Amino acid sequence: MRYLTQDGFNALFQISHRVDEDLGTDYHSRFLNYLHDAQERDLTVGIAMTDAKGDRRLRPSEQPNPDTYVHVVERRSGGVVISGTKAIVTSAPYVHELMVLPGRAMTEADRDFTIACAVPLDAPGLTIVARPAGRPGNASASFSGRYGQSTGVCRFENVFVPWERVFLCGEWKHAEFLTKSYATHHRHTCIAARAGFGDLLIGAGALMIEANGLSTDRNGHLRDTMVDLIKTVEGFYASGVAASVYGVVDPSGAIEPEPVYANIGKLLLATQIYDMHRLAHTVSGGLVATLPGPEEDHNPETSADLAAVLTARPDVPYAQRAAVAGFIEDLTVSESAGWYSTISLHGGGSPEAMKGEIHRRYPIAERKELVKRLVERGVAEVAGPSSAQPGQCCDTGCTVPETPEVIKRRPQD
Amino acid sequence: MRYLTQDGFNALFQISHRVDEDLGTDYHSRFLNYLHDAQERDLTVGIAMTDAKGDRRLRPSEQPNPDTYVHVVERRSGGVVISGTKAIVTSAPYVHELMVLPGRAMTEADRDFTIACAVPLDAPGLTIVARPAGRPGNASASFSGRYGQSTGVCRFENVFVPWERVFLCGEWKHAEFLTKSYATHHRHTCIAARAGFGDLLIGAGALMIEANGLSTDRNGHLRDTMVDLIKTVEGFYASGVAASVYGVVDPSGAIEPEPVYANIGKLLLATQIYDMHRLAHTVSGGLVATLPGPEEDHNPETSADLAAVLTARPDVPYAQRAAVAGFIEDLTVSESAGWYSTISLHGGGSPEAMKGEIHRRYPIAERKELVKRLVERGVAEVAGPSSAQPGQCCDTGCTVPETPEVIKRRPQD
Amino acid sequence: MRYLTQDGFNALFQISHRVDEDLGTDYHSRFLNYLHDAQERDLTVGIAMTDAKGDRRLRPSEQPNPDTYVHVVERRSGGVVISGTKAIVTSAPYVHELMVLPGRAMTEADRDFTIACAVPLDAPGLTIVARPAGRPGNASASFSGRYGQSTGVCRFENVFVPWERVFLCGEWKHAEFLTKSYATHHRHTCIAARAGFGDLLIGAGALMIEANGLSTDRNGHLRDTMVDLIKTVEGFYASGVAASVYGVVDPSGAIEPEPVYANIGKLLLATQIYDMHRLAHTVSGGLVATLPGPEEDHNPETSADLAAVLTARPDVPYAQRAAVAGFIEDLTVSESAGWYSTISLHGGGSPEAMKGEIHRRYPIAERKELVKRLVERGVAEVAGPSSAQPGQCCDTGCTVPETPEVIKRRPQD
Amino acid sequence: MRYLTQDGFNALFQISHRVDEDLGTDYHSRFLNYLHDAQERDLTVGIAMTDAKGDRRLRPSEQPNPDTYVHVVERRSGGVVISGTKAIVTSAPYVHELMVLPGRAMTEADRDFTIACAVPLDAPGLTIVARPAGRPGNASASFSGRYGQSTGVCRFENVFVPWERVFLCGEWKHAEFLTKSYATHHRHTCIAARAGFGDLLIGAGALMIEANGLSTDRNGHLRDTMVDLIKTVEGFYASGVAASVYGVVDPSGAIEPEPVYANIGKLLLATQIYDMHRLAHTVSGGLVATLPGPEEDHNPETSADLAAVLTARPDVPYAQRAAVAGFIEDLTVSESAGWYSTISLHGGGSPEAMKGEIHRRYPIAERKELVKRLVERGVAEVAGPSSAQPGQCCDTGCTVPETPEVIKRRPQD
């Protein structure tokens, strides 16, 4: 089973256990059966979570067009029938199955919109509208031609799903927990994914500096920019490491990343992906956006000449310089690059969502307590007579002050 | 005559006058003749300045392959013959003429590389290799399909240029002035150009917020992001205004923008174009990169459904929402967007070039003088006995201190 | 008359004219009389605007303790009697008079809180509680010992003000205009004031680099930091220039700075003053916070030794190095420095206030119109058949597209 | 033994083992004896590392005044005699002993300047010149009055140190390792220290919002600012966590923090401490710098009035509001605040030093290898004929591409 499903499957592992505990259902074993089958058949499963949403001021059950959210239209003995639209589904056109999950907290009126289930891609009634992944037919797509992604709109029209593939159906009180848990897992994985993207920029930047005939030793500003790029990438990756280190064991036995760090890491990468482009362009120079396209490499009228005059140092042939420039272009200039930026910003929740979670989960009350203790002690002491003289080291003289109670620095405590 | 040439023509106006004064040549009237002719015939003239450069550690005359820089290969009675390569020429494929300018300061050995001249695009021996402008054949290119730009590599092979089109030829000492003057004019115009780009993002962002069914009143973070975008755009535009206000009259009669502000404005936009993308994506939401392409709008199997579920508020039809999203995509996600970013960063000089000019032109010596006067006065006074008591307003009591000499705040003074 | 009053006097000049036009009062001539008298007697007048505010969720007239705002308690034939508290009054203890102005928009119920009037500092019933300006008795205060400021809490208890000194009394509808106008003038002047502070940092930074035995030529990162400092200072100053250039003539004849640029400039300086400290510390090195105090310079046991070992280059004596370090400390490390930062952030309105004004005054509607025209034209064209071929420069072929209507780039249009 | 010595003692633990291995000395056991004695006697030991440096362009042995660096002036049978100056020694006046360490890499000529040894504070010939810690006699110093720090200049004049307290003496080749190892340990500990400072700002900010009668629920910009503060503090703390997680065991058995993350964390906090002040001031409001001082609380003429009008909500008495405001002032406005900022920026090495280490220690070569493999494979494939059609998902069709070799994401690999 491939990685796409890791975050969603973790969240389902947790929620199915939780609902069983709460309501006496048997979702957990049902989900485990599905999981083991998917692992054995080595399925790639995509997550279909973000609904089309319709009028943003209205809840799912209030929408004039109910198909703006996926929902149950019929319950049969063998399973459920669902309809509606999931609007942003990464990898939709080339996975084996879609895992439908509720995309938000629900109220009782939204009961029918609380549905989690697995749907094979060839299920009758499922239509996917998507752009092709990467930059099809474009020889410049040296990276995205192989690793490009596509995002699809998935339209469900009376799709039948048998009960053994249904993992939540109407338990509206639990929808919020599922979305929060999923978000934490997903944001955590985003951090690693984008750090990998950063690794590519760092490596390509270093190669480009060489191919341009420059060096980080002679050109201080290039060294500075490379360090800035490294600082950015490893800086947010470190939040992912901290989220792992402080991960907490859920009652189901799953380990959930520490949410404050997972959200901070995602928030940092979401906004700093743009800085990463800037830094990559700073080290690469303008050539990455102005080189003739690769088709020109095969134009007998010009290719030899271009190669001759655009070689920047004798030991790096033009073809290599152009290849690295093309690689950076693919990562930071092309529409694949733009897609990556946007999806980094909004995928797994927009910055506002991360900020909300950070505020909700951070132990601000503990920090207030710490300061309160310090201030109150201070107020008491300052009010009394002080023997301190100018030049004396502190107000209390030579008695060692008692150590303040240490607040253990784990955000989630 | 179209705007592309404004910066180069201003610089030529200045340098031709300057060289005439210095060396008794007649470049200025020659240039004016060309200028008036170009104006009458309404020519669009592109600037061909950045050479291919070859080995960056070597000067033009030291290059193993001299064609890495444009240079004079023969002087005839009727004109000169030039060869070499200009590597990044904006608009090269669709201008009437190219204005060749030296791309750096020169030494005496680089005499033959000091050449400024006008070359019509159909001159024998001139080959242009360029990608098409915008995103040809792409229905999504709602802006760049009309206003897209292309950058070309221009290969000159024994191109003959008659003397009346030659405006500098061997006067190597003046090459640096020309490049600095050109850079100042060019950076100044970049500011306005990119502020116009910012206007489009501001307008499109505001439309997109509406089309998404959101509002800056109800959604404080969207208001905040819009203000951040406005602050960024108008913030660097203001440097352009200041460069105009403090512009200086050159001996030729041309007005040169104040160089510190012109360079600061360009430096700000060069690095902040990436922030502008981030801010535009923050207000637009992820839809701009995930909507099905416009060809899907004509797919009878899906178009009606998509329109129905992807309408976010009743009074803004899906077609309009999609059109605005497509516009933002074109400006900030597509390869045209990537091209704009890179050219904003490196066009008219990379950030290091701007920083160098700012450091060179800023009156740091005056600032040091100001502080020196203040510090010395302070040192003298502090050394003497002070009558100040705790609680008294200042050391010197009630005598009004003499006003320090005011430094007039114009960077170039 | 000294500069402290410039912004408040400008605003009063405008509002008195405006109220006269609206209500037939004679405030304008009354104000002019006061103005001319103040000019003749060369009075320094401070602005008392920010009230103590009390419970922030309640309007002035709803406060349990009415003295949280200054208000009229009695109207007599000869004048008014006022009570209440202005909480943050710059320079309060050492001006000749205070100009009381309403600090917010008012409703009809707040009529008594709408009062503008001039009060001499020795008026019976006026108590000022303030810290001393600068760092009294501190020999290190090489700048703030002379130019330090103080902020006072001003308590009015039944202070009588004759009518000829009253410039607004109950005209609650006009309070908002006065506060907005005042804010624009004040923010504009803040820009210049903080740019002057920046000049000091630039000069002191350059002197410190020298005194440390370093140089911007040999130490690239110091040059880079100096340029960053210059870019920051001149970057926000340029917004002040733009606000002047696009200033608008008020019906009263006063010129009001263009509000978008005035607010952007203030917003930039408010947040970037902290960056300025960081940059100044980066160039100065840690010595500025770790040098022994100046009293040690007169300690015969240590002063000669310190001078010998802490000289960093033979031609700059230790006393000069220490003096410049002390100057930077005074500006960026001392409590005067902290006071300047805080007052830069919150003085003349907190960042949120500037953001609100920028959003309110920026011509977003025009930007939307511009994009709408472009998108609609594009949509129309894209819908029709296109003759564009891959490789062709643009969709419309060789016909010159009509120039889009140019939006004149003045924010306030 | 108190924490001040942790970084220096770790580094000495490593270097003494390393020198013994290299040169057969017995420093390690000598150091362990000292360590155990210091632990038993519960000594606080300060690190004296940064020399006065003199002319920065000259090495220690080239200085006209050798006392600009601490050095050995005589070797006796019982020990060494040292002279010279350590310029920035945190806590110098109130520790039991100083641990002298070499402050830079040495050459053979600098042999006498390579000295590590422990000196009790009352050793004859040792003079310390320092400002008092905190803000002595200042009732406002609610935090720094108790936890303030002082930095001293330490002058050694023929100070005798017995051999059992000498841990490096002339082994100049090892000086660089010691400084690098010390720097890594020290930067790592700085991260935790400044995160603790951040905790105080977070707690105090939250209390101040309440005391001002505001709330993060009603005032979105305050919530946003709090989240920004949390993101900053936990963001750099996470680098410290990652440095611990990936710490490496030294041959001596000591664990050294992973150096890239330790340097990134220190670099982030060094520059972001200024942002933390800005964010704290944004949530606190201007009151923290404008409140009357605490001595006013005891002024019977004004205290009751001030308390009445400056209470912002009925349930938080003025005394508490003022206490929290004073606490924030102490941390972010006072000269203790300025001292903390400067020491955060430069303590344990200035930003340039961290950047140098990050560049030196980061596995850039591995990142280049990764990209090279991807680019070369791409070039090979792109050169051949492609069967991809427009609209097909990728160039290679339906065969699963082989997984690229995963680079394990640990910077130091």
Side-chain angles (χ1 to χ4, degrees), chain B residues 145-146 199-200 203 210 216 223-224 234 237 245 261 355 359 362 367-368 371 377 381 401 409, chain C residues 146 199-200 203 210 216 223-224 234 237 245 261 352 355 359 362 367-368 371 377 381 394 401 409:
Chain B
R146 187 183 266 275
D199 286 357
L200 298 179
E210 283 178 12
T216 50
R223 197 195 70 153
D224 214 53
E234 300 299 341
Y237 186 72
V245 167
Y261 285 123
K355 291 182 188 173
H359 191 256
Y362 195 79
R367 302 291 184 260
K368 280 161 65 174
V371 172
R377 184 187 309 166
E381 288 177 5
R409 283 198 49 82
Chain C
R146 187 183 266 274
D199 286 357
L200 299 180
E210 283 178 12
T216 50
R223 198 194 69 153
D224 214 53
E234 300 299 339
Y237 186 71
V245 167
Y261 284 123
E352 270 311 279
K355 290 182 188 175
H359 191 256
Y362 196 77
R367 302 290 184 260
K368 280 163 65 175
V371 171
R377 185 189 309 167
E381 288 177 4
C394 70
R409 282 197 53 81

Side-chain angles (χ1 to χ4, degrees), chain C residues 58-287:
Chain C
L58 304 178
R59 306 197 59 81
S61 53
E62 299 166 348
Q63 296 290 335
N65 180 348
D67 284 349
T68 50
Y69 284 82
V70 169
H71 58 290
V72 176
V73 290
E74 189 187 344
R75 288 157 198 257
R76 299 184 191 159
S77 62
V80 295
V81 178
I82 61 174
S83 283
T85 316
K86 293 290 187 181
I88 303 184
V89 180
T90 302
S91 313
Y94 45 85
V95 293
H96 297 98
E97 306 216 337
L98 294 177
M99 180 63 77
V100 172
L101 297 177
R104 54 171 296 168
M106 301 284 178
T107 62
E108 188 162 7
D110 307 319
R111 181 185 295 272
D112 286 343
F113 297 82
T114 309
I115 174 75
C117 59
V119 178
L121 223 65
D122 54 1
L126 172 57
T127 307
I128 294 172
V129 182
R131 305 195 191 186
R135 310 155 73 195
N138 191 326
S140 302
S142 55
F143 183 79
S144 63
R146 187 183 266 274
Y147 302 109
Q149 292 186 36
S150 170
T151 310
V153 177
C154 298
R155 187 86 173 87
F156 297 81
E157 289 168 287
N158 296 313
V159 173
F160 175 74
V161 186
W163 285 117
E164 63 266 25
R165 293 174 150 269
V166 174
F167 311 116
L168 211 61
C169 183
E171 298 81 1
W172 59 272
K173 282 185 186 166
H174 290 278
E176 181 168 16
F177 180 89
L178 175 59
T179 59
K180 300 284 190 200
S181 162
Y182 171 76
T184 302
H185 284 293
H186 185 57
R187 289 165 194 173
H188 191 225
T189 59
C190 284
I191 296 170
R194 223 53 78 218
F197 180 84
D199 286 357
L200 299 180
L201 292 184
I202 293 168
L207 287 173
M208 196 73 205
I209 289 172
E210 283 178 12
N212 284 342
L214 303 168
S215 93
T216 50
D217 289 337
R218 288 196 320 277
N219 307 92
H221 73 282
L222 294 177
R223 198 194 69 153
D224 214 53
T225 309
M226 285 296 290
V227 170
D228 218 352
L229 185 54
I230 293 167
K231 181 187 75 176
T232 303
V233 173
E234 300 299 339
F236 70 70
Y237 186 71
S239 288
V241 173
S244 298
V245 167
Y246 295 125
V248 286
V249 181
D250 179 85
S252 69
I255 294 177
E256 195 172 307
E258 196 287 318
V260 172
Y261 284 123
N263 278 281
I264 287 177
K266 172 61 176 50
L267 181 55
L268 287 172
L269 79 86
T271 52
Q272 294 181 343
I273 186 91
Y274 300 88
D275 297 310
M276 290 161 66
H277 282 195
R278 172 174 52 79
L279 296 166
H281 289 167
T282 303
V283 295
S284 72
L287 199 71

Side-chain angles (χ1 to χ4, degrees), chain C residues 41-53:
Chain C
R41 292 195 291 144
D42 195 21
L43 298 183
T44 301
V45 185
I47 301 296
M49 194 169 203
T50 307
D51 294 275
K53 288 183 185 167

Side-chain angles (χ1 to χ4, degrees), chain B residues 295-311:
Chain B
E295 60 279 2
E296 208 61 44
D297 299 342
H298 305 286
N299 180 342
E301 304 261 334
T302 56
S303 60
D305 275 351
L306 283 179
V309 297
L310 290 175
T311 303

